[in-house]
Amino acid sequence: MKYPPKHHQDNDINHMIEVIKTYPLATLISVKNNTPLITHLPLIYNETGKLIGHIDIYNPQAELMKDDNDITIIFSGPQCYISPSIYASRQLPTWNYIKVHLKGKVKAIESKEALKQSLITMTEFLEAPDHKYVLEPDNRAMNGYLEYINMFEITIDSWEGKFKLSQDKNLKDTEFARAELIRANQASVEAFLEKCFKI
């Protein structure tokens, strides 16, 4: 049996771009001396088809975010346990999820003006659609931190979409699984926050 199953793979780049735009917090993985370095950062997919990000200069991974070094990126969409109880037919328990795996080369962007504009652009994207906060070019706090932030861009070499959404079930059960994915994500976030962050 071929792995991963073909019906759980989505090679439509537009679908993967939607995941990136909707869930921009990425897991970045670099390797130094056979040891993986992992950082979680928001990345913006721009009009040139590259990923743009910013990293603290004191992050150990920062030294690898240049010189066309290899990097692996993972974007995570919604996920949840699927109980057989939600199906109309007899099934086994499973876990549904959406992931996008990318590989690419990373290059440093040295210009502080480009960094500044990139921070403003990222804020505009993340504030959409209401734009209740605008990061102004003369923001003193931002300008004071520019020396402590490195900007980088990633050229994507390979794309892999993992959309495990009960596609191998009949249409009715697939629809039940989709509804459960929506319900479970809303419910689990609320329950988790209530349990861990009581005020």
Side-chain angles (χ1 to χ4, degrees):
M1 179 178 175
K2 185 178 178 182
Y3 189 87
K6 189 174 181 179
H7 54 267
H8 291 159
Q9 299 294 99
D10 189 331
N11 297 318
D12 189 325
I13 289 180
N14 290 322
H15 291 171
M16 290 184 267
I17 291 172
E18 280 305 309
V19 175
I20 293 169
K21 289 181 175 180
T22 306
Y23 302 93
L25 184 66
T27 300
L28 284 72
I29 305 168
S30 304
V31 177
K32 180 181 180 181
N33 299 327
N34 293 320
T35 300
L37 298 176
I38 301 170
T39 300
H40 306 284
L41 293 173
L43 298 178
I44 301 300
Y45 184 83
N46 70 12
E47 66 280 356
T48 69
K50 295 182 179 181
L51 295 167
I52 305 297
H54 319 101
I55 190 167
D56 188 308
I57 63 171
Y58 296 114
N59 185 320
Q61 197 169 353
E63 66 176 290
L64 299 176
M65 307 302 284
K66 59 184 179 181
D67 300 332
D68 288 324
N69 283 324
D70 292 322
I71 192 163
T72 298
I73 310 104
I74 302 172
F75 289 92
S76 299
Q79 50 83 28
C80 78
Y81 168 71
I82 301 294
S83 167
S85 65
I86 65 109
Y87 291 121
S89 60
R90 181 176 293 181
Q91 302 289 345
L92 290 171
T94 192
W95 201 282
N96 279 0
Y97 56 85
I98 294 174
K99 301 280 183 180
V100 172
H101 292 186
L102 306 175
K103 292 183 179 179
K105 305 283 187 185
V106 62
K107 173 184 174 183
I109 305 297
E110 304 289 351
S111 166
K112 291 301 178 186
E113 280 305 310
L115 167 60
K116 184 174 176 178
Q117 183 55 54
S118 179
L119 290 167
I120 292 170
T121 300
M122 179 177 282
T123 302
E124 288 175 352
F125 174 81
L126 297 174
E127 285 283 334
D130 299 328
H131 298 283
K132 293 180 179 179
Y133 174 81
V134 176
L135 183 59
E136 301 289 354
D138 60 353
N139 185 289
R140 291 180 65 184
M142 174 182 66
N143 288 322
Y145 275 106
L146 293 178
E147 295 300 319
Y148 302 98
I149 303 170
N150 287 347
M151 177 182 172
F152 59 87
E153 68 176 22
I154 298 170
T155 300
I156 302 168
D157 296 329
S158 71
W159 300 72
E160 183 181 16
K162 294 178 175 291
F163 289 62
K164 184 174 180 292
L165 301 169
S166 296
Q167 300 97 322
D168 53 330
K169 316 302 182 196
N170 63 56
L171 181 59
K172 191 171 184 179
D173 283 342
T174 300
E175 290 173 352
F176 284 144
R178 179 181 182 276
E180 177 63 8
L181 189 64
I182 295 169
R183 184 208 66 77
N185 275 268
Q186 293 173 340
S188 65
V189 168
E190 185 176 355
F192 173 77
L193 293 177
E194 284 290 329
K195 181 178 180 180
C196 296
F197 297 98
K198 290 183 180 179
I199 299 175

